[in-house]
Amino acid sequence: MYRDRIRLKSLWGKVVTPEEAALLIRDGMTIGMSGFTRAGDAKAVPLALAERAATEQLKVTLMTGASLGNDVDRILTEAGVLARRLPFQADPVLRKAINRGEVMFVDQHLSETVELLRSRQMGPVDVAVIEACAITETGGIVPTTSIGNSATFAILAEKIIVELNLTQPLDLEGMHDVYIPTRRPFREPIPVVTAESRAGLPYIPIDPSRIAAIVVTRKQDSSATILPPDGETRQIAGHLTEFLDREVRQGRLGRSLNPLQAGIGTIANAVLHGLIDGPFHDLTMYSEVLQDSTFDLFDAGKLNFASGSSITLSAGKYAEVLPKIGSYKGRLLLRPQEISNHPEVIRRLGVIGINTALECDIYGNVNSTHVNGTQMMNGIGGSGDFARNAHLAIFVTKSLAKDGKISSVVPMVTHTDHNEHDVDVLVTETGLADLRGLAPRERAETIIRNCVHPGYRELAMDYHRRALQRGGHTPHLLEEAFSWHLRYQQTGSMQPS
């Protein structure tokens, strides 16, 4: 019975259909919606919005934590509802609309969105749509499998729609730590000094009179597409394990390492999975997305504690973990993404950040977002939050893409998300480049020798040798810097014919 989950009886009369709740959203509004990497997202009200758009003018600015599941971004895009989207997305249909200029996409560091809202540099938020597994006796909203930006959306919004999801287990209650930083310029330090630190409340504190509607849902989170480790990702994991083991032997890290962070996706997940067989123990995580590998490490006895902002799992792992999520209580904590990704906390804890590069260049600049410098993929996400502030900023990628027609290591990246100053280590299946303390010329030699695929290594060495003859602190041949990309556009391969 859904009333068992609405523990403030005065809210029972707020239960309405998705269509009725959606009427609170009008053309031109800014909507803050729960959801972080396909987890804990609103599932019913967005679909009702799309249906309304078939008969009336309805365009909104949509803010979330990160990407949404259940094809919500696709459905809203096809219905013409989205005028502006931020701060992250991962839907192919929306991506095409963004690249056609039909939807204005604002790509932001995931720690910054709510800071801009609080300081009124963006916004205001008209309506927040937040998924919950319960509402407390005081009207507090208990999130589900993510927090993301939900807390600040709910706190700042004029009206709140709660989607009460009965498929989300009540055992999630108590796994959240909702802490909102105090106002600038007199902000107090964030009281998170270990991955395990609890600083806030297990629910989102709001005035219950601002809850305008409650919609009861029963739809599960979308599962993530996470491929099992393959030969190349195992090699990447092996190189990284050897590097971390060397750091331990040289006295720079202990066997428990520092708190770990890994970005979303198959490669980062596989790299963490590789630590199961590594020589490390009593690990902790201070990350944003907790993926399959998090629970594999828990179950292998390698991981003691994990702090994140969402739980995003493959279909099989979701079916395995969610029914027994209560067994992980005491070892698992979900935070607002401005805390999970906060530079102050990341630097304090000395996080080891492992993120995926779309491409990198011979000097260590990393492109995470744009194909050929113009076509948006998903967004920068949280990688910049961690790279700039981590104890070790590690970027991983396979050395080749498109069956070898593309080299992931190029003379110059076509778009820079993380410049050479923020990148400590690059890893491909061919090897690892430790860039700490190296000048640009030394970085280039190290990256070409260790990270470029043999099929492109001589091309890269030839480019660098000729660039050195021109001179400069960071030698380049400007007329050839993007020649590999141009050759791919013209012939379908970066390799010379």
Side-chain angles (χ1 to χ4, degrees):
M1 186 68 177
Y2 70 80
R3 286 188 172 181
D4 294 340
R5 296 192 179 214
I6 305 173
R7 300 201 289 267
L8 181 60
K9 292 182 179 181
S10 61
L11 293 176
W12 287 359
K14 299 287 184 74
V15 176
V16 298
T17 66
E19 292 75 19
E20 290 171 314
L23 291 173
L24 295 168
I25 298 172
R26 299 187 301 276
D27 184 49
M29 280 187 166
T30 295
I31 311 305
M33 197 173 288
S34 67
F36 192 105
T37 58
R38 303 167 69 85
D41 46 354
K43 300 172 174 66
V45 173
L47 304 187
L49 277 179
E51 291 176 4
R52 269 181 60 204
T55 59
E56 64 178 274
Q57 169 74 21
L58 184 59
K59 283 192 175 293
V60 303
T61 292
L62 178 61
M63 301 180 178
T64 60
S67 55
L68 301 176
N70 288 287
D71 291 326
V72 166
D73 270 326
R74 174 185 65 78
I75 292 167
L76 291 176
T77 301
E78 291 175 344
V81 173
L82 298 181
R84 187 174 296 268
R85 180 75 170 87
L86 60 154
F88 187 87
Q89 56 77 42
D91 182 82
V93 172
L94 174 54
R95 182 184 304 139
K96 290 178 181 177
I98 289 167
N99 288 320
R100 289 193 301 266
E102 295 169 4
V103 177
M104 295 296 102
F105 178 57
V106 184
D107 185 19
Q108 292 178 326
H109 295 294
L110 294 188
S111 67
E112 291 187 339
T113 304
V114 295
E115 292 279 24
L116 293 169
L117 287 173
R118 256 197 308 271
S119 58
R120 292 182 293 178
Q121 297 177 71
M122 290 195 317
V125 180
D126 296 298
V127 178
V129 187
I130 310 298
E131 183 177 82
C133 64
I135 298 174
T136 71
E137 292 81 358
T138 60
I141 299 170
V142 181
T144 58
T145 47
S146 74
I147 297 185
N149 286 325
S150 297
T152 298
F153 289 159
I155 290 167
L156 295 181
E158 182 181 340
K159 295 179 181 178
I160 303 166
I161 300 171
V162 176
E163 287 201 3
L164 187 69
N165 192 329
L166 303 186
T167 68
Q168 295 280 16
L170 279 172
D171 277 339
L172 287 166
E173 188 167 2
M175 288 189 177
H176 307 93
D177 185 50
V178 180
Y179 176 83
I180 305 298
T182 51
R183 297 271 180 168
R184 294 164 169 169
F186 305 107
R187 176 171 293 173
E188 299 171 356
I190 295 172
V192 175
V193 296
T194 68
E196 299 92 333
S197 293
R198 281 187 173 271
L201 299 168
Y203 55 84
I204 301 169
I206 51 102
D207 179 351
S209 67
R210 292 174 44 245
I211 297 179
I214 299 172
V215 175
V216 178
T217 69
R218 292 176 175 82
K219 196 166 189 177
Q220 294 183 333
D221 286 345
S222 293
S223 57
T225 302
I226 299 176
L227 300 175
D230 59 22
E232 291 169 327
T233 55
R234 288 191 184 95
Q235 287 176 300
I236 292 171
H239 296 316
L240 189 52
T241 298
E242 289 175 10
F243 167 77
L244 293 173
D245 188 44
R246 187 164 62 250
E247 291 292 291
V248 172
R249 286 186 276 106
Q250 292 177 350
R252 290 194 281 262
L253 290 171
R255 281 287 165 202
S256 299
L257 304 179
N258 286 12
L260 300 166
Q261 176 265 338
I264 188 72
T266 294
I267 296 178
N269 186 73
V271 167
L272 276 189
H273 190 275
L275 295 178
I276 291 174
D277 298 319
F280 314 111
H281 55 79
D282 297 315
L283 300 172
T284 59
M285 291 185 69
Y286 193 85
S287 193
E288 48 190 354
V289 184
L290 306 181
Q291 300 182 83
D292 289 19
S293 55
T294 302
F295 295 90
D296 292 336
L297 286 164
F298 270 139
D299 295 342
K302 288 281 189 173
L303 183 65
N304 288 352
F305 196 90
S307 168
S309 192
S310 77
I311 299 171
T312 303
L313 305 173
S314 65
K317 187 60 72 172
Y318 186 90
E320 174 193 335
V321 167
L322 204 65
K324 62 173 185 178
I325 194 71
S327 67
Y328 296 99
K329 268 191 176 176
R331 296 185 288 164
L332 193 62
L333 206 56
L334 296 180
R335 307 180 190 274
Q337 68 195 66
E338 67 172 317
I339 303 300
S340 68
N341 291 43
H342 203 288
E344 174 194 337
V345 180
I346 293 166
R347 186 161 290 202
R348 177 185 296 133
L349 299 185
V351 170
I352 298 172
I354 306 167
N355 289 284
T356 304
L358 183 65
E359 66 175 359
C360 58
D361 67 27
I362 60 174
Y363 293 108
N365 301 291
V366 169
N367 174 12
S368 295
T369 57
H370 286 72
V371 176
N372 286 330
T374 61
Q375 300 295 303
M376 170 59 67
M377 282 294 290
N378 300 330
I380 193 169
S383 54
D385 298 322
F386 287 92
R388 173 61 57 91
N389 300 287
H391 172 79
L392 283 169
I394 301 167
F395 282 88
V396 298
T397 183
K398 293 185 178 183
S399 66
L400 298 176
K402 300 292 184 183
D403 298 320
K405 295 175 182 177
I406 292 176
S407 171
S408 300
V409 188
V410 294
M412 181 184 284
V413 290
T414 53
H415 177 89
T416 303
D417 291 294
H418 317 286
N419 65 50
E420 60 183 282
H421 308 293
D422 295 339
V423 180
D424 296 319
V425 177
L426 288 176
V427 195
T428 70
E429 80 282 359
T430 67
L432 181 146
D434 183 354
L435 306 177
R436 294 173 296 176
L438 299 185
R441 294 174 183 229
E442 297 169 315
R443 293 165 75 94
E445 293 172 5
T446 301
I447 291 169
I448 293 169
R449 183 174 63 251
N450 290 289
C451 296
V452 177
H453 189 275
Y456 286 89
R457 192 170 293 152
E458 182 53 42
L459 282 175
M461 292 175 64
D462 175 68
Y463 175 87
H464 185 53
R465 279 195 298 264
R466 290 185 293 114
L468 286 172
Q469 294 172 6
R470 295 269 183 95
H473 178 62
T474 306
H476 266 302
L477 304 171
L478 292 183
E479 71 276 16
E480 294 185 32
F482 299 130
S483 61
W484 295 19
H485 299 89
L486 291 170
R487 189 156 54 234
Y488 176 75
Q489 286 185 330
Q490 294 162 2
T491 70
S493 175
M494 287 185 174
Q495 284 281 6
S497 57

